[in-house]
Amino acid sequence: MFEDGAIINELLIERLNYFIYVVLLLIGLHAMISKRNLIKKLIGMSIFQTSIILFYVSIAVKDEATIPIYKAEHDRHGAASKAAALELNSSDEAKPLYAPAELQPEETQQYANPLPHVLMLTAIVVGVATFGLALALCLRIQQGYGTVEEDELLVKIERSDARYSQSPLAKAINPRRRPARTSRKPRTASKATRVSQKSASSPKSTGATQTKKSAPKTKTTQPRKKPAPATRKPAASSPKAGNQKPAVKKSSVRKPANKTTSPKKKGAE
Amino acid sequence: MKWISLIPVVAVGALLLFAATDFPEWGDPKSPASQSPVSSHFINNTGVDTEVPNMVTAVLADYRGFDTMFETVVVFIAGIAVLAILKGSGRRRRGPRTTYKVEAEPDLIVTNTVRLVVPVIQLFAFYVLAHGHVSPGGGFQGGVVMGASFILIALAWDLDHALVRMSLPRCMTIAAAGIIIYAGIGFLSMFLGGEFLDYAELERVLPVSREMARYHAMLGVEIGVGFTVTSIMFALYANLSSEGRLKGGL
Amino acid sequence: MENAIAWVLLFPLIGSVACALLGMANRKLCYPISIISMAGATWAAVETLFQAVACPSAEVSYIFGGWVLDLFPRGVGIEFRADLLGALIALVVVGVGLIVSMYAKLPVEKETPGKEALYYPLFLLQITGLAGIALTGDAFNLYVLIEVAALTGYGMIAIGSNRAAAATFNYLILGTIGASLYLLGVGYLYIKTGTLNMVGIQEVIAANNLHDSPAMQVAFVLIGLGILIKMAFFPFHAWLPNAYSNAPTTTSCLLAPLVTKVMIYVMIRMVLTVFGVKFSFESTLWSEFMPWLVVIAIVCAAVMALAQREIKKMLAYLIVAEVGYMVGGVWIYNFYGLIGSIFHIISDACMTLCLFLATGIILRACKTTHFDGLRGLFSKMPLTMIGFFVGGFSIIGLPPTCGFFSKWYLITGGMVAERWEYMVVLMFSTMVMVVLFFRLIERIYLAVSESGQNLGKGHGDLGLTKEQTKLRKHPCRCLSLY
């Protein structure tokens, strides 16, 4: 099985580096696809990129070659050749000794190929940048949804998507001042100003805003349970309408759409 | 569910191993990559063209300097994007976070050791940057070491101590200055008549030969790279560890 | 000016650094700086196109670092080659960037207040990355520029809401897989040819007759897979609808017309220049089965677009369908198909831009992009709606809009190549798009005032929309004339 020319010999012995990198790549790819925790996906991504770096660097290897930095005898810019040049003190043979010269092909063999190393310096830096960005995204997701497990995240996202994609007509069946703020984007522009906006400049009674904080804990359970459509809205809205504070209904349904505190509170409940 | 995801993974693996049989052996000096005119030029002529002994730095900063500029830009983008994603999102109505109010006092041994060691680290970072021409090193490596020294300060005391020394606006300014240095050297070469990043044209303003102009300009761009990498490494740490709030943190 | 091709990238680069620095001091400076740098880049792109046309070999070659081809081997320096195709795509990129940057002032202020000094640098660097992809002649430089475009894209999308951040994470994972597969493919090419320059790779493949080697075939598959993931071709499209519909308005106006089309350009470039026509179409099996995958892609995307009740998601699925058209146009291995595909890149960029700009204005005015919120909008915002209709007609393919001509070429290509499945699916999807757009047109134009009170806000905001339509009138007129 290990004799020359057999496939195992070719893969595992002569081309061991390629086999190793393929194994690492598959580990990384499997982690990225199948793990359900976002941080584990990122670890898989890092392994995946590292395997590609390993592949390139292994291309650069030559048998019995050293690193791609000129050795002293080839480096005509260095101190050794300058000293030798000074020895031949002001004769014309000094000059050619000190001038850099092209290497001969047999000397080229002694150095590893520098190009893949250069390419991989770039790739490593790009990988680090991507990883940093991905971690920032994980942080933002954690702040926004309270979890970095993909299955919990999907549930929360589906709920908020269902709410967001409700037709504005359906929302308007509830005779509250809804239509001005059905879009997500202006709301989430800046969290701090949004919260302060609501408390300061909201046209609703300010009394509503105090109950806003406590009300969502109980009220958000209801809008969360409904999937989407307009038909269930009137049924659901009546217990809420019975629960006073029209403005609170609006805000309590709006807030969970990109809720940050209630997932945590709900998790605590 | 996880078994289903093994199918594409195994398929990709089979594909790659199928191709691996066609590759040259590991370390074969006759492989196309090693024999190609491009690599041979790099190994043979780096001394002639640039008088820099480290071929990797010469290729990185001179022959393929345009790629390195975009690599620096990528680091800059990472810093800006992390700031953009995390800025202003740390203020959540979660109630008071008590975790970062209760902090341990900075430990005496750690702080005093760091106090002694950080200047040495920074000096070493300068050495790695400047000596990149003749030994493994260069702008990225030196920049990371320097950024790590600031992170060490943040770890030993707390983030505020490090932010006093390297606040985020200063980080962004230094990062932008790094790219300005890199692109500036390129523009100078362009205005002196060559292509963008053709350092040899700098011989018209510097009193050196064309090759030595490349040598010195390489050091210049490496300094630019070092600035950007240092500041962005620290900015990434500051933002990620404190979730954008820049208070508390690890 | 012989450096024009470098200035196409350098103007936005300087602009972004200036925005980052000066924007920290004064946020209002970012907008004028971005307009100036985009105007400069457009001028440079026009100049490059003229140079490419005037040049005898119909391409402009520029090697960064001064490593000219007569003194040094090809591949020692990084080359930018602008042939007619590349110069045209670069012009489209910076042109779209210019229009979106003119539009960008109000949405950026409203949706990401306080972050202008962070948004505009990302915006300008995205243009730099995309224009560089269109112009570069070096395979590894292409990877770096793809990553520049990708990272800025992630930043620009995630700067919005938390939902956008969740969508961006998925985009990041898939995008990194795509770019890394591309990098791996380039590594395979390098290991067999020894050079990274695109023309150099083709020369070595031809000289050593590497057409049948397994490594080359696998390199082709890897590069192809990577690019297909990045352009959101059907099974890998999962990132696109969420990312583009949850992104801030300006971001989706910039990314939707450009990113996927530039990736199609990369595929054309790989197929034509790096691997060569003979290898790509005859030595591999792709031209046999790709049109069938395209059929599945277009059908699924069109059906999913029908199911949407919200404009942005619908447009996102339409983008996936359009990508299917263009990929099919390339792989039916036909002159007309290729012409149609290239023309469709340009026209699709324009019509997607038109539609997304109109959607942005609708969002600003009505605070919703749901279908039910659009009733009777024509009477309130006639100019915007005319623009939207023109874009819709262009997607359907009615003459005299540009979409008609590109579909004409694609269908002709399908007929000449006797790829009946491709033709049938083009007709089918045209019908689906007719349904989609006429459904919308009916709501917008006809149903008036029954839900007038819901859109009371829109009435008052008419002043606002007028200002934005002023900026948008020009692209609308141009596009309809085009």
Side-chain angles (χ1 to χ4, degrees):
Chain A
M1 191 169 74
F2 285 99
E3 65 272 6
D4 264 351
I7 191 87
I8 298 279
N9 182 36
E10 274 190 32
L11 270 183
L12 281 183
I13 297 187
E14 287 175 11
R15 297 178 174 81
L16 179 66
N17 58 329
Y18 305 124
F19 184 74
I20 291 177
Y21 109 82
V22 167
V23 169
L24 271 179
L25 194 142
L26 295 180
I27 293 175
L29 192 60
H30 179 72
M32 270 212 271
I33 298 177
S34 70
K35 293 285 179 192
R36 277 184 229 108
N37 185 319
L38 299 187
I39 304 286
K40 289 186 185 173
K41 282 187 193 256
L42 291 184
I43 296 177
M45 179 176 91
S46 184
I47 297 177
F48 184 72
Q49 288 176 325
T50 305
S51 75
I52 298 182
I53 294 170
L54 195 62
F55 168 63
Y56 267 85
V57 170
S58 69
I59 299 178
V61 173
K62 282 186 212 171
D63 281 332
E64 294 165 6
T66 178
I67 57 173
I69 297 181
Y70 283 136
K71 298 193 226 181
E73 63 261 21
H74 298 146
D75 174 18
R76 306 216 166 76
H77 183 73
S81 63
K82 230 182 183 167
L86 286 175
E87 270 180 23
L88 295 168
N89 222 353
S90 75
S91 64
D92 277 328
E93 292 116 45
K95 286 253 162 56
L97 201 63
Y98 181 55
E102 212 173 299
L103 259 56
Q104 302 310 310
E106 56 276 1
E107 293 164 328
T108 314
Q109 302 271 25
Q110 299 172 14
Y111 295 106
N113 189 355
L115 186 58
H117 292 273
V118 171
L119 303 178
M120 286 307 105
L121 276 176
T122 307
I124 291 172
V125 172
V126 166
V128 165
T130 311
F131 197 71
L133 225 164
L135 285 175
L137 283 175
C138 282
L139 268 179
R140 181 78 183 266
I141 292 176
Q142 159 78 16
Q143 287 170 352
Y145 294 100
T147 173
V148 283
E149 291 288 332
E150 200 182 20
D151 29 17
E152 290 176 24
L153 193 62
L154 276 176
V155 167
K156 292 197 166 114
I157 288 180
E158 271 166 22
R159 279 193 208 134
S160 71
D161 271 351
R163 183 166 315 101
Y164 176 54
S165 59
Q166 278 167 12
S167 152
L169 284 183
K171 292 182 192 172
I173 286 177
N174 194 335
R176 310 296 172 204
R177 227 194 46 147
R178 183 166 307 287
R181 305 298 299 268
T182 49
S183 141
R184 181 186 305 270
K185 292 175 195 52
R187 257 183 284 140
T188 63
S190 133
K191 302 284 184 239
T193 59
R194 172 176 67 95
V195 176
S196 59
Q197 220 176 40
K198 271 207 222 145
S199 50
S201 62
S202 155
K204 306 175 290 290
S205 61
T206 51
T209 59
Q210 270 87 41
T211 58
K212 222 189 331 195
K213 296 285 189 328
S214 52
K217 257 197 274 203
T218 52
K219 294 197 176 165
T220 52
T221 52
Q222 282 157 354
R224 282 196 170 262
K225 295 296 187 294
K226 338 194 276 282
T231 52
R232 295 185 51 189
K233 265 285 201 175
S237 62
S238 41
K240 272 178 285 222
N243 225 339
Q244 102 286 99
K245 296 298 194 274
V248 188
K249 161 77 171 77
K250 167 169 168 256
S251 58
S252 72
V253 172
R254 244 195 307 146
K255 280 179 74 155
N258 34 341
K259 206 45 205 146
T260 62
T261 71
S262 33
K264 286 205 73 172
K265 288 183 188 157
K266 285 179 65 59
E269 282 167 343
Chain B
M1 187 53 200
K2 289 202 179 170
W3 305 117
I4 302 186
S5 66
L6 272 181
I7 300 177
V9 168
V10 168
V12 168
L15 191 70
L16 296 175
L17 284 175
F18 165 64
T21 54
D22 191 28
F23 286 158
E25 288 179 21
W26 190 14
D28 183 10
K30 297 265 179 299
S31 65
S34 307
Q35 294 285 70
S36 77
V38 175
S39 312
S40 313
H41 183 88
F42 288 148
I43 299 179
N44 296 341
N45 294 67
T46 302
V48 174
D49 290 331
T50 58
E51 295 205 27
V52 166
N54 185 351
M55 295 172 221
V56 173
T57 303
V59 175
L60 185 73
D62 193 359
Y63 290 99
R64 296 188 70 96
F66 192 61
D67 248 357
T68 309
M69 186 175 83
F70 275 106
E71 189 183 343
T72 318
V73 164
V74 163
V75 173
F76 183 64
I77 291 170
I80 289 198
V82 166
L83 256 184
I85 294 174
L86 289 177
K87 183 173 176 183
S89 66
R91 284 165 264 170
R92 288 267 170 273
R93 283 286 166 268
R94 279 170 164 173
R97 260 182 73 115
T98 55
T99 47
Y100 66 83
K101 290 213 168 70
V102 181
E103 269 177 3
E105 279 294 311
D107 183 56
L108 188 70
I109 297 179
V110 172
T111 53
N112 282 303
T113 313
V114 166
R115 209 190 294 258
L116 290 175
V117 157
V118 160
V120 178
I121 295 180
Q122 296 188 335
L123 204 59
F124 184 69
F126 283 132
Y127 160 77
V128 167
L129 198 158
H131 215 245
H133 281 141
V134 297
S135 73
F140 292 99
Q141 296 85 329
V144 169
V145 175
M146 184 70 120
S149 71
F150 287 108
I151 297 178
L152 190 58
I153 297 180
L155 286 175
W157 284 275
D158 55 19
L159 190 57
D160 294 320
H161 270 75
L163 280 176
V164 161
R165 287 159 180 79
M166 186 86 158
S167 63
L168 272 213
R170 190 183 295 176
C171 275
M172 286 297 137
T173 314
I174 296 180
I179 299 191
I180 291 177
I181 294 176
Y182 203 127
I185 294 182
F187 280 122
L188 193 55
S189 323
M190 199 156 70
F191 293 143
L192 289 173
E195 277 92 355
F196 186 68
L197 292 176
D198 184 6
Y199 307 138
E201 300 293 328
L202 290 175
E203 56 143 1
R204 295 172 209 235
V205 290
L206 296 173
V208 293
S209 69
R210 286 180 76 92
E211 291 77 22
M212 288 306 291
R214 289 190 184 271
Y215 186 102
H216 294 303
M218 264 199 258
L219 182 63
V221 302
E222 295 277 10
I223 291 177
V225 167
F227 278 174
T228 305
V229 173
T230 301
S231 47
I232 297 292
M233 283 295 132
F234 180 65
L236 277 181
Y237 172 78
N239 275 310
L240 286 177
S241 69
S242 64
E243 297 190 31
R245 275 187 304 262
L246 297 178
K247 273 196 238 298
L250 298 177
Chain C
M1 185 169 83
E2 71 273 9
N3 287 320
I5 192 174
W7 281 107
V8 177
L9 266 71
L10 293 175
F11 268 119
L13 186 63
I14 308 172
S16 76
V17 175
C19 273
L21 273 181
L22 299 175
M24 279 198 295
N26 181 0
R27 287 206 303 265
K28 306 264 188 257
L29 286 176
C30 291
Y31 180 66
I33 293 177
S34 72
I35 303 263
I36 295 172
S37 51
M38 287 314 302
T42 315
W43 165 81
V46 168
E47 181 76 25
T48 309
L49 187 58
F50 285 157
Q51 283 176 6
V53 167
C55 204
S57 59
E59 68 179 27
V60 177
S61 169
Y62 185 88
I63 301 193
F64 285 93
W67 306 103
V68 288
L69 279 179
D70 28 359
L71 295 175
F72 300 96
R74 176 168 238 140
V76 165
I78 294 181
E79 185 183 6
F80 261 32
R81 273 179 71 247
D83 52 4
L84 290 177
L85 175 63
L88 204 54
I89 304 286
L91 183 59
V92 167
V93 166
V94 294
V96 167
L98 181 62
I99 295 177
V100 178
S101 65
M102 287 198 296
Y103 166 74
K105 180 162 199 278
L106 272 165
V108 172
E109 274 176 20
K110 289 283 170 352
E111 292 178 5
T112 53
K115 291 189 187 177
E116 285 97 346
L118 299 168
Y119 187 84
Y120 280 103
L122 290 176
F123 183 97
L124 291 168
L125 285 171
Q126 170 90 347
I127 303 280
T128 312
L130 291 172
I133 294 176
L135 293 173
T136 187
D138 184 280
F140 190 78
N141 192 232
L142 186 63
Y143 167 73
V144 177
L145 290 167
I146 288 179
E147 287 287 4
V148 168
L151 284 176
T152 48
Y154 306 147
M156 281 166 71
I157 299 177
I159 201 173
S161 58
N162 285 335
R163 178 69 185 93
T168 316
F169 189 86
N170 206 9
Y171 179 16
L172 191 148
I173 295 283
L174 278 172
T176 306
I177 295 182
S180 303
L181 284 178
Y182 171 80
L183 182 62
L184 200 56
V186 168
Y188 279 42
L189 281 179
Y190 177 68
I191 209 177
K192 294 300 286 184
T193 60
T195 175
L196 292 167
N197 190 307
M198 290 183 188
V199 173
I201 295 177
Q202 191 184 37
E203 286 171 357
V204 173
I205 294 182
N208 298 355
N209 216 359
L210 290 173
H211 298 283
D212 300 318
S213 69
M216 280 295 144
Q217 304 269 348
V218 173
F220 192 74
V221 170
L222 286 174
I223 292 182
L225 259 183
I227 300 293
L228 286 177
I229 294 178
K230 294 229 61 142
M231 74 165 79
F233 191 63
F234 173 63
F236 315 117
H237 72 294
W239 57 269
L240 193 143
N242 284 329
Y244 285 179
S245 58
N246 292 311
T249 314
T250 324
T251 304
S252 51
C253 289
L254 182 71
L255 293 185
L258 289 181
V259 171
T260 45
K261 321 301 177 285
V262 170
M263 290 301 149
I264 293 177
Y265 160 79
V266 171
M267 185 174 78
I268 296 179
R269 174 65 67 206
M270 288 286 136
V271 159
L272 291 184
T273 305
V274 175
F275 288 99
V277 173
K278 183 171 168 304
F279 180 86
S280 316
F281 292 111
E282 291 165 19
S283 301
T284 64
L285 295 171
W286 280 52
S287 59
E288 311 287 329
F289 66 81
M290 275 306 277
W292 290 104
L293 290 181
V294 161
V295 164
I296 302 176
I298 297 178
V299 166
C300 291
V303 166
M304 283 198 271
L306 262 181
Q308 302 303 320
R309 318 290 314 154
E310 203 237 324
I311 297 186
K312 271 192 150 179
K313 270 246 162 88
M314 179 188 93
L315 291 178
Y317 280 107
L318 279 180
I319 296 178
V320 178
E322 301 285 332
V323 164
Y325 288 174
M326 292 183 259
V327 171
V330 172
W331 285 105
I332 54 178
Y333 190 20
N334 191 318
F335 176 70
Y336 290 107
L338 199 57
I339 296 253
S341 193
I342 295 173
F343 191 65
H344 202 71
I345 294 180
I346 305 172
S347 61
D348 190 61
C350 293
M351 47 198 190
T352 314
L353 175 66
C354 185
L355 287 170
F356 269 90
L357 283 175
T359 312
I361 297 183
I362 294 176
L363 185 64
R364 212 75 339 267
C366 311
K367 309 291 191 290
T368 177
T369 52
H370 199 278
F371 284 1
D372 292 335
L374 301 178
R375 290 183 185 275
L377 211 50
F378 189 78
S379 51
K380 297 195 177 62
M381 300 201 291
L383 289 170
T384 313
M385 289 303 118
I386 290 179
F388 191 82
F389 293 166
V390 168
F393 293 153
S394 192
I395 290 213
I396 296 174
L398 294 179
T401 59
C402 49
F404 168 72
F405 294 108
S406 57
K407 275 208 172 143
W408 178 264
Y409 274 113
L410 288 175
I411 295 183
T412 313
M415 270 202 300
V416 170
E418 297 190 356
R419 288 288 192 164
W420 310 112
E421 68 269 14
Y422 183 62
M423 269 186 57
V424 165
V425 81
L426 272 178
M427 308 286 195
F428 168 74
S429 59
T430 309
M431 293 300 123
V432 168
M433 289 174 192
V434 168
V435 168
L436 278 173
F437 276 99
F438 277 90
R439 199 172 52 166
L440 262 182
I441 292 176
E442 181 208 10
R443 267 170 221 249
I444 292 173
Y445 189 70
L446 295 175
V448 284
S449 81
E450 62 184 65
S451 327
Q453 70 269 23
N454 277 358
L455 303 171
K457 250 325 191 133
H459 214 45
D461 280 349
L462 195 53
L464 192 66
T465 46
K466 267 229 165 83
E467 179 194 324
Q468 285 163 324
T469 53
K470 202 167 37 172
L471 293 174
R472 263 212 358 98
K473 247 198 293 193
H474 297 285
C476 260
R477 296 284 154 82
C478 302
L479 294 169
S480 59
L481 287 173
Y482 179 41

